[in-house]
């Protein structure tokens, strides 16, 4: 491999897991503007990675039109991945917050080359200094889930710190639900955080991550929540959907207090007609973390994600927010394929991350 190339994992054609493979590709090049050139030490995988690789990602309807040059122009290869952690090699001329040698965790470009590579260009507005108390592989598990949960609960649901209210979080044992529970309980200090889980291990993990109550989403959610007999002065005002919006909207509308709010991160086709949405004057708000950069920060605060990651680093180091990494793999092409298999199986607890220093066979990114 020459000094101008690197190893990366991605697809030349969207489709099944087997399409993921390693390739030698040109390095990203010199960073411009507010970009950081980062040497990747670890990544984590998310459901969005699986959808993008599979060719079915549909949060933005024009996504594959936006990224088509990645597979249709040299090197004809889409490097997948968003979450990562590593060391800054070089900074663009307009970078304000970082310098070469800094250890960072970050979210890669939602419509560009991703983090499954030895080097990646990262916008500093979507990066933070790595928490001192975390290894690279732990830090790589945090950015997408934390920022999404924080944006959903604080920006979209507009929950106020110390508010006397309850929230229902769908799938509390997953990567998103487990960090959202901590945001709700440890940052916003809500007195009641109800999550859903269907297995003993996911229910136990959810409680460790901040849930005060856990109900089974394979059974009647409405009955289970009502059977909790929550205090009358702590209304169930909020809900955060991290799985199957169309399945959970009606029962959530049945449970929420009038004038409550629902936010979802899962694209779906559904009809609100026949639900309690209108009779209770409920608010529904989508949350997609990529909205700002994808739409060039129009009507958005450019620095907010960087500020959130800096705050997250301090919260982790102070022990207020816990890392939700549960599965570690070696950062190889086969390791990434295995991570995608585990996500597709739908049985993952917490986050899955991969590091170049993890034990196992194969060279990193190969």
């Amino acid at each position: 491999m020459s000094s101008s190339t690197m190893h990366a994992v991605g697809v030349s054609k969207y489709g099944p897991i087997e399409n993921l493979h390693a390739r030698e590709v040109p390095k990203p090049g010199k960073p411009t503007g507010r970009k950081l050139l980062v040497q990747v030490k670890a990544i984590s995988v998310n459901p969005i990675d699986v959808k993008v690789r599979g060719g079915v990602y549909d949060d933005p309807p024009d996504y594959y039109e936006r990224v088509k040059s990645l597979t249709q122009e040299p090197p004809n290869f889409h490097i997948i991945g968003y979450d990562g952690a590593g060391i800054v090699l070089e900074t663009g001329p307009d970078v304000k917050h970082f310098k070469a040698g800094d250890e960072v965790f970050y979210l890669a470009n939602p419509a560009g080359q991703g983090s499954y590579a030895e080097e990646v260009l990262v916008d500093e507005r979507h990066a933070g200094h790595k928490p001192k108390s975390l290894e690279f592989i732990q830090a790589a598990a945090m950015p997408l889930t934390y920022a999404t949960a924080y944006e959903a609960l604080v920006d979209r649901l507009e929950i106020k710190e110390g508010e006397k209210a309850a929230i229902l979080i769908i799938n509390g044992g997953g990567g998103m639900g487990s960090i959202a529970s901590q945001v709700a309980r440890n940052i916003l200090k809500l007195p009641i955080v109800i999550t859903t889980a269907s297995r003993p291990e996911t229910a136990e993990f959810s409680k460790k991550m901040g849930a005060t109550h856990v109900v089974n989403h394979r059974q009647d959610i409405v009955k289970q929540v009502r059977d909790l007999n929550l205090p009358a002065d702590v209304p169930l005002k909020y809900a955060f959907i991290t799985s199957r919006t169309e399945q959970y909207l009606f029962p959530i509308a049945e449970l929420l207090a009038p004038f409550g709010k629902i936010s979802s991160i899962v694209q779906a086709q559904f009809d609100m007609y026949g639900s309690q949405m209108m009779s209770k004057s409920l608010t529904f708000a989508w949350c997609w973390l990529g909205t700002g950069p994808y739409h060039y920060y129009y009507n958005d605060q450019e620095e907010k994600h960087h500020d959130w990651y800096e705050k997250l680093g301090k919260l982790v180091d102070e022990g207020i927010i816990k890392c939700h990494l549960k599965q570690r793999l070696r950062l190889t092409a086969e390791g990434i394929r295995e991570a995608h298999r585990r996500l597709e199986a739908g049985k993952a607890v917490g986050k899955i991350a991969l590091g170049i220093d993890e034990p196992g066979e194969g060279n990193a990114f190969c």
Side-chain angles (χ1 to χ4, degrees), residues 245-255 262 270-284:
T245 304
E246 73 285 356
Q247 176 179 335
Y248 294 107
L249 186 69
F250 270 57
I252 286 172
E254 194 69 33
L255 286 167
I262 304 166
F270 58 91
D271 190 347
M272 294 182 182
Y273 188 81
S275 76
Q276 295 286 4
M277 290 292 294
M278 186 168 184
S279 76
K280 291 184 177 181
S281 296
L282 301 178
T283 298
F284 181 88

Side-chain angles (χ1 to χ4, degrees), residues 45 141 145 171-179 196-209 323-328 339 342-343 345-353:
V45 293
T145 50
N171 193 15
M176 189 65 68
S178 57
I179 205 74
T196 73
S198 62
R199 307 193 308 275
E201 62 269 28
T202 53
E204 181 183 358
F205 179 64
S206 185
K207 288 179 180 178
K208 288 181 179 179
M209 292 293 105
C323 178
H324 54 330
L325 173 63
K326 292 291 286 182
Q327 299 180 61
R328 296 171 177 239
R342 295 182 186 184
L343 282 180
K347 300 294 184 182
V349 180
K351 284 295 295 284
I352 304 170

Side-chain angles (χ1 to χ4, degrees), residues 90-149:
E90 191 176 353
T91 63
D94 301 322
V95 166
K96 302 175 182 178
H97 306 303
F98 302 94
K99 64 183 185 304
D102 283 351
E103 297 182 348
V104 296
F105 61 159
Y106 57 82
L107 200 65
N109 185 346
Q113 296 289 29
S115 60
Y116 297 3
E118 290 183 289
E119 295 180 9
V120 63
L121 286 173
V122 176
D123 190 314
E124 71 163 341
R125 290 169 288 190
H126 298 278
H129 289 89
K130 182 181 76 67
K132 295 180 176 62
S133 58
L134 296 186
E135 303 169 57
F136 281 110
I137 192 171
Q138 294 174 305
M142 304 295 289
L144 186 143
T145 50
Y146 175 80
T148 300

